[in-house]
Amino acid sequence: MEFDNRITRLLGVEVPVVQAPMGWIARSQLASAVSNAGALGIIETSSGELDNIREEIIKMRDLTDKPFGVNIAQAFVRDPNIVQFVIDQGVKFVTTSAGNPERFTDELKSAGLTVFHVVPSLSAALKAVEGGVDGLVVEG
C-alpha cells in the first residue's frame, strides 16, 4: 500500500507513522528498524546521556539511509544546550514533548529542522500550532 499525503511528503517517508521516543529504549536498533520499514524512527534524548546519544545517531546512519529524527522531552532535559547538540548532529527532524511547544521551536526551525510536538489534548494541540510547530503527534 502506498501513501501520499502531507506527512509522507514532509518527512520523506513511505508510511505516515512516527515511532514513539521511549526513554532508554528508542535507540538505533529500534529506530533504524522503523525507518527501514518506511516509517520514521526516533532516537530519544530523555536519558540525558548525550555522548551515548551521539553514538546512537552515528550507528543510526550506519544502519539506515532512511529519514529519522530525535525527540527532546523537555521535562527531562539535563543539558541546557540540547538544541545545539541536536543541530550539531545534523538531525533534520525533531519531536518535542513533555513541555511548552514554544520552548525550542523557533531555535530548531531557524536551523532548518522540521518540528512536531507531542500533544495529549485539543488545547495542547492548539497551543502547539500557535507556537509554530510543523506538525503534531497526538497521543491517546
Side-chain angles (χ1 to χ4, degrees), residues 101 117-131 133 136 138:
H117 189 71
V118 180
V119 297
S121 67
L122 176 59
S123 62
L126 294 172
K127 182 176 182 177
V129 169
E130 288 174 13
V133 300
L136 303 172
V138 181

Side-chain angles (χ1 to χ4, degrees), residues 38-132:
L40 191 76
I42 301 290
I43 295 174
E44 62 85 24
T45 64
S46 59
S47 66
E49 302 169 346
L50 297 187
D51 288 337
N52 290 339
I53 294 163
R54 182 181 294 107
E55 291 302 314
E56 291 299 315
I57 292 170
I58 291 168
K59 288 180 194 174
M60 188 71 177
R61 291 193 173 109
D62 288 338
L63 294 169
T64 187
D65 60 354
K66 305 276 185 151
F68 70 94
V70 300
N71 174 259
I72 300 174
Q74 297 173 29
F76 303 104
V77 168
R78 296 180 193 172
D79 186 329
N81 298 313
I82 186 72
V83 171
Q84 191 58 51
F85 167 81
V86 170
I87 293 166
D88 290 347
Q89 303 316 301
V91 173
K92 297 298 179 196
F93 176 80
V94 172
T95 57
T96 56
S97 60
N100 183 344
E102 296 172 339
R103 182 174 176 192
F104 299 130
T105 299
D106 285 344
E107 189 175 355
L108 290 164
K109 289 186 69 164
S110 292
L113 282 76
T114 300
V115 180
F116 281 25
H117 189 71
V118 180
V119 297
S121 67
L122 176 59
S123 62
L126 294 172
K127 182 176 182 177
V129 169
E130 288 174 13

Side-chain angles (χ1 to χ4, degrees), residues 16-36:
V17 172
V18 177
Q19 171 225 308
M22 301 163 283
W24 291 275
I25 296 171
R27 297 290 174 99
S28 60
Q29 185 177 6
L30 173 64
S32 65
V34 171
S35 289
N36 285 331

